[in-house]
């Protein structure tokens, strides 16, 4: 982990969006995921200091570097056991959850709000410039946004489904007003796809429409609610939004376009450029709705060494504020330095597998 963050510091990127860090132990997606707690906070502070030192050592300064930490709860993808906010029949089917599987009650969510706030306070104390309240990829806060059938304070209409994140934003802003607030937000969940190994992926459509999807056609994005939420969070201090979509667990081709399927996954039902274009188009809708908001676009990794060219074109056209490179940066951490020093990314250093790294992990 320290080596990975050191490489981020040496990358030449001027905004480092730190990896998913759980706010409570049972919220981790795997037993090696970072956890921010009073016990681990000193180590995470050392991690941040090492990252900034790596940047200074290579580039001579770090006062122009922003580093944030992503705060998360894995929800139904938590590794000890699934912790769900609501039953989404098509999504439940992918993990074979029975209709009797318990859902988290409002008391749990009330207490979880305070854990997010405490984690943000610790992140600020460690020296991070911003925190990301993660709302993507069907993790808990993203699932709440689609909890139309959930009773109580955190479900039902738009106000109920967005209550958790709005109250967390307000509480963090009240406790640590100098800390910048960000969110990595799904603007389009999309339906699950069949996961038969090697077969062409087919959508599984059942139950209520997903977040960011048209009620008439779940395959069609509808950004009316995501844009409404971003507007509400802007009033509560949102400074940076990273536009994302899909879920790596059941429709990975939407979130990270690829052509080579994981060993146990489906073949994508569309050309990767279709997915790249969807990322660019939906991100542009958000940027056009909020011209003064720092919007980071993703979905670039499949473009390999042309990613920086596409990012530059989108920035020049006003379709995005910044280009983000996530998965591709793990294979090619100094991509930004090469763009600055060489004028381009290097083809032989670029990731060519994209989602296939999941097969290596498995």
């Amino acid at each position: 982990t320290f080596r990975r963050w050191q490489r981020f510091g040496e990358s030449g990127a001027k905004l480092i969006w730190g990896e998913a860090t759980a706010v409570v132990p049972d919220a981790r997606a795997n037993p090696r995921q970072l956890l921010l707690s009073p016990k681990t906070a000193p180590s995470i502070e050392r991690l941040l200091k090492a990252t900034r030192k790596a940047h200074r050592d290579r580039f001579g300064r770090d006062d122009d570097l922003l580093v944030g930490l992503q705060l998360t709860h894995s929800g139904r993808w938590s590794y000890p056991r699934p912790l769900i906010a609501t039953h989404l029949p098509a999504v439940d089917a992918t993990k074979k959850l029975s209709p009797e599987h318990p859902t988290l009650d409002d008391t749990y969510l009330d207490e979880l709000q305070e854990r997010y706030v405490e984690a943000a306070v610790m992140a600020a104390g460690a020296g991070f410039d911003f925190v990301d309240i993660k709302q993507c990829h069907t993790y808990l806060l993203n699932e709440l946004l689609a909890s139309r059938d959930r009773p109580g304070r955190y479900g039902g209409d738009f106000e109920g489904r967005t209550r958790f994140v709005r109250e967390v934003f307000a509480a963090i802003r009240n406790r640590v007003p100098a800390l910048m607030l960000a969110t990595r937000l799904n603007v389009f969940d999309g339906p699950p796809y069949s996961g038969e190994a090697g077969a062409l992926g087919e959508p599984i459509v059942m139950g209520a429409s997903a977040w960011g999807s048209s009620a008439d056609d779940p395959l069609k994005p509808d950004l009316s609610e995501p844009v409404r939420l971003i507007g509400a969070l802007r009033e509560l201090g949102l400074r940076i939004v990273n536009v994302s979509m899909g879920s790596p667990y059941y429709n990975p081709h939407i979130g990270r376009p690829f052509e080579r399927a994981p060993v146990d996954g489906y073949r994508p039902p569309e050309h990767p450029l279709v997915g790249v274009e969807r990322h660019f188009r939906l991100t542009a809708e958000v940027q056009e709705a909020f011209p003064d908001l720092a919007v980071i676009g993703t979905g670039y990794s499949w473009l390999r060494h042309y990613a920086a060219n596409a990012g530059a074109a989108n920035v020049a056209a006003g379709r995005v504020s910044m280009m983000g490179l996530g998965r591709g940066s793990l294979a090619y951490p100094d991509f930004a330095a090469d763009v600055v020093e060489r004028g381009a990314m290097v083809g032989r250093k670029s990731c060519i597998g994209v989602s296939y790294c999941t097969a290596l992990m498995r």
Side-chain angles (χ1 to χ4, degrees), residues 67-130:
V67 187
L69 193 66
Q70 183 179 80
L71 304 180
T72 189
H73 188 299
S74 299
R76 66 173 56 235
W77 311 111
S78 298
Y79 86 92
R81 62 187 178 93
L83 300 170
I84 69 173
T86 190
H87 281 283
L88 302 170
V91 180
D92 288 357
T94 66
K95 202 169 176 65
K96 298 180 172 61
L97 288 183
S98 74
E100 289 73 39
H101 189 91
T103 58
L104 299 173
D105 59 26
D106 283 4
T107 300
Y108 180 96
L109 295 177
D110 291 341
E111 294 173 354
L112 183 63
Q113 280 200 33
E114 183 57 26
R115 302 291 84 75
Y116 269 93
V117 177
E118 290 171 354
V121 171
M122 286 186 281
F128 285 96
D129 300 297
F130 68 92

Side-chain angles (χ1 to χ4, degrees), residues 49 144 164 168 178 226 257-258 266 273 292 299-300 305 308:
K49 288 180 177 178
L144 281 170
F164 186 97
V168 165
F258 63 89
Y266 61 81
L273 280 176
D292 60 340
Y300 287 85
H305 57 292

Side-chain angles (χ1 to χ4, degrees), residues 289-300:
F290 303 98
D292 60 340
L293 180 64
V295 177
I296 300 177
T298 47
Y300 287 85

Side-chain angles (χ1 to χ4, degrees), residues 313-348:
N314 282 332
V315 170
R319 293 163 58 87
V320 73
S321 305
M322 287 174 273
M323 163 204 158
L325 196 66
R327 192 156 295 261
S329 72
L330 297 175
Y332 184 177
D334 55 345
F335 74 97
D338 278 351
V339 170
V340 173
E341 296 166 2
R342 300 169 179 248
M345 291 172 64
V346 179
R348 64 180 174 78

